[in-house]
């Protein structure tokens, strides 16, 4: 494709800029009225206490609907980069491009969503190049905490963008290749217009550390322990799984996989030739009776996920893993920000069973990050030498600090867009030129709903303020002809102020509120419900300092 005088190259983050997770990055090329688009990653983030009932959150792709999308390129298979495909692909239909390991996991995800037959998936070899209209995309090998992580060299008629994806510098990654310094330096020699780069560990001095070091530490620790051992780690980290499995073998232990993700990732790894020369995993039946000193359980749930294997072990409800005094649980993972409470509860429950715990805080070296620390970021800028730095994949404070670091490294221009900010990279200086529709969609009850959805709003309100349900019968004259039944959900009572006494008081308030209505108002149930709601919320504010949801049921006789 030849460039014309009004062509522009733009970058548009719709997820992942100013937050951890939920990556959805878009590059556009062409005149404003007829741009073609390249999508990089389609990921999820996860719900928390502010989103009751919502486990999964995805970026809103409204802007992309109806646009010309040349392809969707996936850098690697972490959930915050591919997890939203099952939900969003039907809205942004385009071919998917991924290396073999990632493609295997994508197929499984799309099969679960029931859309695999509709989606074109093109496997790209490591280091391969894809021609997508104005975008020529070359996979650049990186090191990260998953198999086959890739940066993307995106060549366009207006310049080359290096999109790093998630990465680190690791001279001994155990699985896969090292970050390809030669390829990145060569790109820098050619001239990199902009680098869109991971900001997660920008505040951490030094380097992230090597998987090779973790392998040694885990082997030493596992070899020193007696009794049953459970290891919790991210299932997607095949190198870590490999290290745990081989440490178990060295210590004379067999491995049992616990958790659906462990089985899924293991299948993907073996499909592409990883996890070679290891003993078969124990079946569930074998694991039930295997000697305690000869078994190691490799478990999901290191973040305290309630349905994962470790949580069920801690609760004593796992069908075949039972840990007790004299047993051990190793957490070969970090606590993701926001998961501190859930991980703390999990570890407390395990400790209460007499299980001894090992974490990176008390046993340094049993986990390392998959993201670059400050020295690695500096090295990347020395290799790439971009004209423009575009920090991404981090909170606002991470992006701002990353921009400062880039300036210190001599990068002429920096820009820190928020989700929805369209950045013109060329021609001319890097500048935000537009803001497009953006936001979050919640997976709620198997449906995608907006952030402003009424159901979630009511659920949040009910979770903090409670619910009152009022029912009574009225005759044709508008007179209450039954007892007024008031029931409370999530509102407190105690010995000094029994809940029943408060509800009796509320019933009187209902009778007074309805008694004040006259004439036609007594024939309009909406008016009656509004009067009851106002009265009960006012009374509840006085009694509990709460304004609950009020549901009124009126039976007309």
């Amino acid at each position: 494709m030849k460039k014309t005088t009004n062509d522009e190259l733009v970058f548009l983050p719709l997820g992942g800029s100013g937050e951890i997770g939920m990556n959805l990055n878009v590059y556009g090329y062409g005149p404003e009225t007829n741009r073609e688009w390249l999508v990089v990653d389609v990921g999820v983030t996860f719900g928390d206490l502010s989103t009751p009932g919502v486990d999964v959150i995805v970026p809103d792709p409204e802007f992309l609907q109806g646009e010309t999308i040349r392809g969707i390129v996936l850098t690697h298979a972490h959930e915050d980069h591919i997890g939203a495909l099952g939900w969003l692909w039907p809205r942004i239909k385009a071919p998917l491009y991924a290396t073999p390991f990632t493609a295997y996991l994508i197929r499984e995800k799309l099969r679960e969503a029931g859309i695999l037959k509709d989606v074109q998936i093109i496997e790209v070899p490591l280091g391969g190049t894809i021609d997508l209209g104005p975008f020529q995309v070359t996979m650049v090998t990186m090191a990260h905490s998953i198999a086959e992580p890739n940066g993307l060299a995106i060549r366009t008629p207006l310049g080359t963008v290096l999109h790093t994806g998630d990465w680190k510098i690791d001279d001994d990654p155990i699985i896969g290749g090292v970050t390809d310094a030669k390829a990145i330096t060569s790109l820098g020699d050619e001239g990199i217009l902009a680098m869109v780069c991971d900001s997660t560990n920008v505040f951490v001095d030094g380097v992230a550390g090597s998987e090779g070091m973790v392998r040694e530490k885990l082997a030493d620790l596992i070899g020193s322990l007696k009794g049953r051992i459970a290891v919790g780690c991210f299932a997607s980290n095949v190198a870590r799984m490999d290290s745990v499995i081989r440490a178990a073998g060295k210590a004379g232990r067999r491995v049992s996989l616990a958790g659906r993700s462990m089985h899924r990732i293991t299948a993907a790894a073996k499909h592409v030739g990883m996890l070679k020369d290891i003993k078969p995993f124990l079946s569930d039946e074998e694991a039930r009776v295997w000697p305690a000193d000869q078994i190691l359980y490799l478990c999901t749930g290191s973040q305290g996920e309630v349905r994962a294997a470790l949580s069920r072990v801690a609760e004593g409800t796992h069908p075949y893993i039972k840990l007790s005094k004299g047993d051990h649980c190793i957490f070969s993972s970090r606590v993701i920000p926001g998961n501190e409470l859930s991980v703390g509860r999990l570890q407390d429950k395990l400790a209460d069973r007499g299980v001894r715990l090992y974490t990176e805080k008390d046993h340094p070296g049993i986990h390392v990050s998959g993201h670059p620390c400050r020295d690695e970021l500096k090295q990347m800028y020395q290799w790439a030498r971009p004209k423009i730095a575009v920090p991404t994949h981090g909170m606002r404070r991470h992006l701002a600090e990353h921009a400062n670091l880039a300036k210190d490294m001599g990068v002429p221009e920096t820009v820190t867009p928020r989700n929805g900010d369209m950045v013109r990279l060329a021609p001319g200086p890097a500048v935000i030129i537009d803001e497009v529709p953006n936001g979050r969609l919640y997976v709620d009850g198997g449906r995608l709903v907006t952030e402003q959805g009424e159901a979630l709003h009511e659920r949040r309100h009910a979770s903090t303020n409670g619910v009152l349900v009022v029912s009574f019968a009225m005759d044709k004259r508008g007179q209450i002809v039954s007892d007024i039944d008031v029931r409370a959900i999530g509102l407190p009572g105690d010995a000094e102020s029994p809940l029943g006494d408060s509800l009796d008081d509320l019933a009187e308030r209902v009778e007074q509120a309805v008694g004040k209505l006259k004439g036609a108002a007594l024939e309009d149930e909406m008016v009656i419900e509004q009067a009851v709601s106002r009265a009960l919320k006012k009374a509840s504010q006085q009694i509990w300092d709460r304004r609950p949801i009020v549901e009124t049921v009126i039976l007309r006789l």
Side-chain angles (χ1 to χ4, degrees):
M1 177 178 175
K2 296 180 180 180
K3 65 180 178 181
T4 63
T5 55
N6 58 349
D7 282 344
E8 293 180 321
L9 174 60
V10 300
F11 170 67
L12 173 62
L14 291 173
S17 186
E19 62 192 347
I20 300 294
M22 203 176 73
N23 292 274
L24 176 56
N25 299 292
V26 187
Y27 293 90
Y29 185 87
E32 181 180 358
T33 56
N34 190 30
R35 285 199 181 106
E36 297 179 73
W37 299 93
L38 170 70
V39 175
V40 176
D41 293 333
V42 185
V44 301
T45 189
F46 299 99
D48 54 26
L49 294 176
S50 69
T51 57
V54 172
D55 292 328
V56 175
I57 302 170
V58 303
D60 189 343
E62 177 187 348
F63 171 76
L64 292 173
Q65 295 179 58
E67 295 291 329
T68 301
I69 302 174
R70 284 288 189 164
I72 302 170
V73 182
L74 292 314
T75 61
H76 64 285
H78 274 143
E79 285 295 295
D80 58 337
H81 292 259
I82 68 166
L85 281 171
W87 295 103
L88 297 187
W89 186 88
R91 300 190 180 202
I92 52 173
K93 296 177 180 178
L96 303 181
Y97 297 85
T99 52
F101 178 81
T102 302
Y104 182 98
L105 293 173
I106 288 170
R107 289 189 186 96
E108 294 300 306
K109 190 168 293 294
L110 297 177
R111 185 178 288 113
E112 290 176 1
I115 60 174
L116 177 60
K117 61 181 175 53
D118 302 322
V119 184
Q120 183 183 11
I121 302 175
I122 297 94
E123 284 195 18
V124 184
L126 295 173
T129 296
I130 320 156
D131 286 312
L132 300 172
F135 308 101
Q136 185 189 71
V137 183
T138 298
M139 299 289 191
V140 180
T141 297
M142 298 287 189
H144 183 44
S145 54
I146 194 170
E148 297 183 2
N150 298 278
L152 305 177
I154 305 170
R155 293 182 171 90
T156 77
L158 289 176
T160 297
V161 177
L162 175 59
H163 185 104
T164 68
D166 292 356
W167 65 280
K168 63 186 285 188
I169 297 174
D170 187 344
D171 293 333
D172 187 11
I174 302 298
I175 296 290
V178 300
T179 293
D180 195 340
K182 183 178 179 180
I184 298 168
T185 302
S186 179
L187 287 168
D189 292 340
E190 293 175 19
I192 294 176
L193 173 67
M195 184 165 71
V196 178
C197 186
D198 181 359
S199 307
T200 309
N201 281 344
V202 68
F203 288 107
V204 182
D205 290 328
V207 299
S210 173
E211 283 293 330
M213 176 190 71
V214 175
R215 169 166 288 194
E216 294 176 5
K217 295 290 185 180
L218 284 173
D220 290 344
L221 177 57
I222 290 169
S224 70
L225 302 178
K226 302 296 182 182
R228 296 176 183 84
I229 301 174
V231 178
C233 68
F234 297 112
S236 58
N237 194 335
V238 179
R240 192 70 52 84
M241 291 176 63
D242 188 272
S243 292
V244 172
I245 293 165
R246 296 186 192 282
K250 186 177 179 181
R253 294 176 181 267
R254 294 285 297 278
V255 174
S256 173
L257 299 180
R260 182 183 176 193
S261 294
M262 285 293 175
H263 290 278
R264 181 170 55 89
I265 296 294
T266 299
K270 289 185 174 182
H271 176 75
V272 297
M274 302 172 190
L275 297 180
K276 295 180 179 179
D277 305 320
I278 61 174
K279 291 183 179 179
F281 299 115
L282 295 177
S283 68
D284 295 355
E285 290 72 21
E286 290 172 319
R288 284 190 180 96
V289 297
W290 209 261
D293 288 340
Q294 298 175 30
I295 192 168
L296 181 146
Y297 307 103
L298 189 50
C299 302
T300 60
S302 63
Q303 299 304 300
E305 303 96 319
V306 294
R307 291 184 290 274
L310 275 181
S311 287
R312 288 185 290 159
V313 172
E315 293 285 354
T317 59
H318 196 280
Y320 69 89
I321 302 177
K322 308 297 178 184
L323 297 184
S324 57
K325 187 175 182 179
D327 296 331
H328 312 271
C329 186
I330 300 169
F331 285 79
S332 184
S333 59
R334 74 181 179 95
V335 180
I336 294 174
N339 291 346
E340 293 87 355
L341 289 176
S342 59
V343 174
R345 286 193 291 266
L346 168 65
Q347 293 178 349
D348 282 345
K349 290 176 182 177
L350 288 168
D352 198 41
R353 291 182 174 275
V355 177
R356 184 171 178 182
L357 306 178
Y358 306 82
T359 73
E360 62 171 336
K361 291 184 178 179
D362 50 63
H363 282 72
I366 64 171
H367 173 71
V368 292
S369 175
H371 298 272
C373 298
R374 289 185 74 88
D375 286 356
E376 292 159 284
L377 285 167
K378 291 175 182 178
Q379 181 64 75
M380 177 63 80
Y381 279 103
Q382 289 171 356
W383 290 335
R385 292 153 285 153
K387 295 178 182 177
I388 306 164
V390 187
T392 188
H393 200 33
M395 308 302 287
R396 289 305 302 174
R397 62 184 181 274
H398 296 87
L399 306 193
E401 180 61 21
H402 188 160
N404 290 332
L405 183 148
K407 291 175 184 175
D408 292 342
M409 294 301 298
V411 179
E413 298 180 66
T414 64
V415 60
T416 55
R418 290 176 167 81
N419 288 334
D421 286 346
M422 184 183 294
V423 181
R424 184 178 62 211
L425 299 174
V431 63
I432 295 171
I433 59 173
D434 197 4
E435 181 181 359
V436 308
N438 67 96
R440 295 174 159 206
L441 299 175
Y442 295 95
V443 180
D444 191 4
R447 299 171 174 82
L448 285 181
V449 301
T450 65
E451 290 182 87
Q452 293 77 33
E454 185 64 24
L456 185 57
H457 172 75
E458 289 182 348
R459 205 177 304 141
R460 285 175 176 144
H461 188 91
S463 69
T464 55
N465 290 277
V467 179
L468 290 173
V469 181
V470 185
S471 59
F472 53 87
M474 298 184 74
D475 62 18
K476 295 180 180 179
R477 298 176 300 161
Q479 301 299 308
I480 296 176
V481 292
S482 70
D483 290 338
I484 299 172
D485 184 35
V486 182
R487 301 192 180 190
I489 301 172
L491 291 165
D494 56 28
E496 294 184 2
S497 301
L499 183 59
D501 291 350
S502 298
L503 298 183
D504 290 342
D505 180 42
L506 294 180
E508 293 180 11
R509 301 290 186 103
V510 172
E511 186 173 16
Q512 294 169 7
V514 175
K516 293 178 181 178
L517 300 176
K518 305 295 181 184
L522 290 171
E523 300 176 5
D524 189 331
E525 291 192 5
M526 184 172 291
V527 172
I528 298 171
E529 290 174 7
Q530 289 174 345
V532 170
S533 180
R534 285 195 298 268
L536 293 193
K537 286 184 178 181
K538 183 177 180 180
S540 298
Q541 187 75 49
Q542 296 168 349
I543 298 171
W544 295 293
D545 194 26
R546 297 284 188 274
R547 293 181 64 82
I549 292 175
V550 177
E551 287 294 321
T552 304
V553 180
I554 302 171
L555 176 64
R556 288 286 188 174
L557 301 178

